[in-house]
Amino acid sequence: MRIARFTTGDSPRYGILEDGSTDLVVLKGDPLFMPVATTGERVALDDVRLLSPVIPRSKVVGVGRNYAEHAAEMGNEVPEEPILFLKPNTSVTGPDDPIVVPGYAQEVDHEAELAVVISRMAKNVSADQALDYVFGYTVANDVTARAAQRGDATWTRGKAFDTSCPTGPFLAMDLDVSDVAVRAWVDGELRQDGRTSQMVRGVPELIAYVSTIFTLLPGDIILTGTPAGVSPVRPGQRVEVEVEGIGRFGNNVVKR
């Protein structure tokens, strides 16, 4: 089952996309915070605008260098402990929304990633318990202003600017993400083609580790790292990202 957050020109709503269907079954409210119940209405997927499946009320937690080949292509070693960074909820945007490159950014890269959405408060959870705190999975593009990331003591300017975290197109429930493809295209050319089985640390271990530092709240997003093949995207180009079993979406790149 996949859940969409969408609009038909009015307030955002939620719907279930059943396997093989081209219609959304409309839900009564946000399924993250209330039991799943349908209104009885169905709308065609082609007639809606898809939005980011979730806008975190608290935070997006990124994980750096969680694929060995990506770390190597950037000239780095795999860290002994996960490298974490934060993106604010103003970084989150949805399918077909523009990625707006800030004026200070000289080099911007795409980073296709599996994203984990947290279902309930989690603190100091074990890896064995971690999946009990997962609401679902979505696709993210951790857009990075690379020169700013390299030039600063922290990664804030490079990672946290507005529109730097497109997510979508759906929220997949009960998906086995231990070995699914993670891909990115720029203007239709395949640039990234990895698998989650290549992660240095898997989803349960990442959730457990993050929860020792931050209290995770419902709707928080954990970005699990990107495979090798990151490359620059420039204003006028379109970048698309995909995770197998969830979906594919794209965004046009523009300059502020």
Side-chain angles (χ1 to χ4, degrees):
M1 182 179 75
R2 291 180 293 173
I3 292 176
R5 181 171 169 263
F6 70 93
T7 181
T8 54
D10 50 8
S11 298
R13 293 188 288 170
Y14 297 83
I16 294 173
L17 181 64
E18 298 168 334
D19 290 345
S21 176
T22 58
D23 289 345
L24 292 172
V25 179
V26 180
L27 299 178
K28 290 184 178 180
D30 186 342
L32 185 62
F33 295 100
M34 62 184 298
V36 172
T38 65
T39 65
E41 181 185 1
R42 301 177 74 95
V43 294
L45 189 59
D46 288 344
D47 293 337
V48 308
R49 177 189 170 207
L50 292 176
L51 307 173
S52 171
V54 62
I55 300 293
R57 289 158 171 78
S58 175
K59 55 191 169 294
V60 177
V61 183
V63 179
R65 303 173 192 167
N66 196 35
Y67 287 74
E69 290 186 5
H70 169 61
E73 74 179 348
M74 304 306 292
N76 299 304
E77 300 290 333
V78 172
E80 292 185 8
E81 296 285 341
I83 296 175
L84 303 185
F85 57 91
L86 295 176
K87 295 170 88 85
N89 60 11
T90 54
S91 70
V92 177
T93 189
D96 290 315
D97 291 334
I99 295 169
V100 183
V101 177
Y104 60 79
Q106 303 302 313
E107 178 187 347
V108 173
D109 289 349
H110 60 79
E111 295 190 7
E113 308 203 9
L114 170 72
V116 182
V117 179
I118 298 300
S119 62
R120 56 194 175 101
M121 186 181 295
K123 181 64 177 176
N124 292 325
V125 303
S126 69
D128 290 341
Q129 299 171 320
L131 295 184
D132 295 337
Y133 294 83
V134 173
F135 184 68
Y137 303 93
T138 190
V139 189
N141 187 356
D142 175 23
V143 184
T144 302
R146 194 67 69 191
Q149 181 193 17
R150 288 193 300 257
D152 292 353
T154 72
W155 291 3
T156 304
R157 282 198 312 150
K159 291 285 192 179
F161 58 89
D162 290 350
T163 74
S164 66
C165 192
T167 61
F170 305 108
L171 190 64
M173 321 296 289
D174 303 320
L175 180 67
D176 180 0
V177 297
S178 59
D179 184 27
V180 293
V182 181
R183 303 186 179 99
W185 296 260
V186 177
D187 290 342
E189 178 185 351
L190 182 64
R191 299 287 181 85
Q192 291 182 274
D193 190 5
R195 302 193 69 83
T196 54
S197 55
Q198 298 168 329
M199 287 182 186
V200 176
R201 299 171 180 88
V203 169
E205 187 178 354
L206 291 177
I207 293 172
Y209 182 81
V210 171
S211 76
T212 67
I213 302 167
F214 311 108
T215 298
L216 292 167
L217 300 178
D220 280 357
I221 295 174
I222 298 176
L223 307 178
T224 58
T226 195
V230 301
S231 64
V233 289
R234 299 176 179 85
Q237 293 188 307
R238 181 173 178 83
V239 56
E240 296 177 281
V241 291
E242 176 187 51
V243 173
E244 181 182 5
I246 301 175
R248 173 174 172 171
F249 73 95
N251 304 88
N252 294 330
V253 182
V254 303
K255 187 74 173 181
R256 183 172 299 281

